[in-house]
Amino acid sequence: MLTPAVAGLALFLLFPLYYVFLYSVGMRYLEQTPKLAELDGHFTSFTLTLWHDFLSPDVYVEILGGSSPALTVPSWVVGITLVALIALTLLGTRISAVYGGRISLVSALVLVSPFATIPWGDGLLRLAELTTSQDSIYLRLFFKSISMAMTSSIFAVVFAFPVAYYMAFVLKKTKYTWILIVITPFLTSYLLRVFAWTIILGDQGLVNSALQKIGLIDQPLTWLLYTQFTVIVVLTYAWVPFICLPIFIALENIDRRLLEAATDLGASRFRAFVKITLPLAAPGMVAAFLFVFIPSIGEYVTPSLVGGTKGYMFGNGIQTQFTGGALDWQTGSVLALFLIVVVLMLTGATSRFLRAGGGGR
Amino acid sequence: MSRGDVAISRPARLVLRVYFVVFLLVLYLPTALLVLFSFNDSNTLSFPIVGLTTHWYSDAVNNPDIVDSVRNSFQIAVGVGIVATVIGLLASYALARSNIRMKGAISALLLVPLVVPTIALAIALLILVKKANLPLLHPGLLALGIGHVVLALPYTVLLILPRISNIDRRLEEAAHDLGASGAQTFRRIILPLIVPSLMAAFLIAFITSIDEVVLASFLLGAEQTYPAYLFAGLRHPDTAAALIPVASAMILLSFLTAFGAEVLRRRGERRLGAAA
């Protein structure tokens, strides 16, 4: 009885992915064997040139929006550093029982700092930035996507937390009805929820008309639409209802007697919140973060609709290679496979959070 | 001391309540605006609202492109719903009840489509469809349907498998002892207990397919589905106004489907609780 599922997935999932792999390492059709120009998938010789082209450019580390890079590092150093930081964040508590929490927290902050931004204005406000020279666009685009995805994930968690807290601790019998009301928008057309923001953020949209009417601005704010800002806002908006759920489950599972004990022993509500609620809800919040972050890295629809050229993301880079202007399937395959590898590794490394957040049991 | 008092003070509760209301308003604002603009008597989607009209709706109904794409979408979604539910049911039953080897690996394989980025799956299937020279497989509705089944399969398995696993094995053993065949046991014992989760699985697969745009924008030929048509149209703001009415109707439909799936899921839980 398993045959249809396994055969179907082998033929329509694994086999196509194998093709993508072949394309990413097949000898480039412009070189040597003209037969490969037909790109029929029967490659006879293989090369890593395209992978090298994509991954080799030096990475610039820019700090506080400085115009010249503060630091230039080979990309493999950056890659190893990022992987090491992820490992430290996830395994901190196993390294040391006493300092584990602090190790995790510090490495998480170092990990987040070059990517997190405050979405405001044409350029985003940020502490540091990883980028590359202008001519190696794809690695640059990848860092930009990570940054946009990470920013929207952080904001989504921040906006969802009070909602989950309210539903878990204030609402009583009606809470499950309210959860359904909160989550329903997530189940409606993604395209339309994204597109609706052009009505809100456009030059004559809701926000600009309102601000002009009350006299706060004379000219419409043009950076509201078709920028990185827009994509971050819309991604946050699109995912917020969904991630209320894992945070709610984490809060709901907290034993209320712990809080009672804390207050009985003289802790203020704030102290009990910081010392008990927050640490116990942390796994749910991490899960929520990942639920937004992982799918957002490869996002393609949102930037196409509301991102303009400034809000272009890695997914758009892949699309251009296949159906857009660039039309280079082999480079596109390299990009797609890289995205798959990154996402699978992230999912694998964080699966215990994803399971805890998804199942709740 | 009541338990609410421990977690939250009275002023904080008020702040949270205000925040919750504002949150819900913002959450529903974009959808509400779309519905509002579907009645706006203007070619541009911008403020102020000029006047109310229903001509966008009559235009949409008379536009063969829209009508065809909506019909295609529904055909694919129903097909995907049925196929994904049946395959998911078979796989779930096998995983829950038979002692096959590599159970872990197979369950993992079934969940892979959840984590592979859709755009990567889209280009992988595009390469397959264009270059692998498989019979029958060329860009079009069939290729898209197959892609949607791959996307929806993990959801159907995740909905059906736990339900089957939760059924008390002794029910089946009793049926067997009383002389029922395997097929009879399945039809008379298992199936009635999981019907609600089968319907929920169908609805989830249906929703996955009817709203799917990434695969659609890569795998389709001349025939369009509604999301693909919409996606192409929405990228040019001048044509967008004409697309909003059907879009609003679709939103209402998906609201209803979502509620339906949830109601079915709950009923299924209750029924299982009564049986166990």
Side-chain angles (χ1 to χ4, degrees), chain A residues 88-264:
Chain A
L88 270 182
T89 309
L90 293 172
L91 302 175
T93 43
R94 295 208 198 142
I95 297 169
S96 150
V98 187
Y99 300 108
R102 269 170 254 180
I103 294 176
S104 290
L105 198 63
V106 169
S107 39
L109 287 178
V110 177
L111 191 63
V112 165
S113 60
F115 299 114
T117 67
I118 296 171
W120 191 258
D122 226 338
L124 307 171
L125 306 177
R126 58 198 316 158
L127 273 178
E129 183 173 10
L130 293 184
T131 176
T132 65
S133 71
Q134 289 287 356
D135 37 279
S136 59
I137 43 175
Y138 291 112
L139 195 58
R140 194 187 173 85
L141 198 56
F142 181 72
F143 286 134
K144 183 180 160 197
S145 296
I146 294 278
S147 169
M148 290 162 77
M150 187 169 292
T151 305
S152 27
S153 323
I154 293 173
F155 275 93
V157 172
V158 169
F159 284 125
F161 186 84
V163 174
Y165 194 87
Y166 180 77
M167 293 193 299
F169 285 107
V170 180
L171 293 175
K172 298 271 152 55
K173 275 184 189 160
T174 53
K175 63 175 76 170
Y176 291 98
T177 315
W178 284 107
I179 289 172
L180 195 57
I181 291 173
V182 165
I183 210 160
T184 303
F186 181 77
L187 301 169
T188 65
S189 166
Y190 186 81
L191 266 182
L192 296 169
R193 281 187 300 139
V194 170
F195 176 74
W197 283 87
T198 58
I199 306 179
I200 299 175
L201 297 175
D203 284 353
Q204 291 166 286
L206 186 65
V207 172
N208 274 323
S209 322
L211 288 179
Q212 278 174 313
K213 190 146 261 175
I214 57 175
L216 270 179
I217 49 171
D218 298 326
Q219 295 299 313
L221 300 171
T222 49
W223 54 265
L224 287 180
L225 191 57
Y226 302 127
T227 56
Q228 288 189 55
F229 168 84
T230 331
V231 178
I232 291 171
V233 166
V234 174
L235 279 178
T236 307
Y237 166 79
W239 285 96
V240 140
F242 177 68
I243 64 164
C244 285
L245 207 56
I247 304 178
F248 169 80
I249 291 170
L251 289 170
E252 188 74 356
N253 284 341
I254 293 176
D255 190 339
R256 308 299 151 110
R257 285 172 302 183
L258 290 174
L259 297 174
E260 278 165 29
T263 30
D264 287 351

Side-chain angles (χ1 to χ4, degrees), chain A residues 275-340:
Chain A
K275 289 281 176 186
I276 296 173
T277 312
L278 223 43
L280 286 176
M285 289 160 73
V286 174
F289 171 85
L290 293 166
F291 280 138
V292 189
F293 182 62
I294 292 175
S296 296
I297 305 172
E299 181 58 64
Y300 149 69
V301 172
T302 313
S304 314
L305 282 180
V306 297
T309 43
K310 290 179 193 159
Y312 208 73
M313 286 175 84
F314 197 66
N316 303 81
I318 297 176
Q319 182 265 331
T320 331
Q321 300 294 348
F322 283 90
T323 56
L327 228 54
D328 176 352
W329 284 29
Q330 292 200 263
T331 300
S333 296
V334 170
L335 303 182
L337 206 53
F338 179 73
L339 180 65
I340 295 176

Side-chain angles (χ1 to χ4, degrees), chain B residues 235-254:
Chain B
R235 285 200 262 185
H236 306 284
D238 342 335
T239 56
L243 297 168
I244 303 303
V246 188
S248 313
M250 293 286 249
I251 286 188
L252 276 180
L253 182 82
S254 46

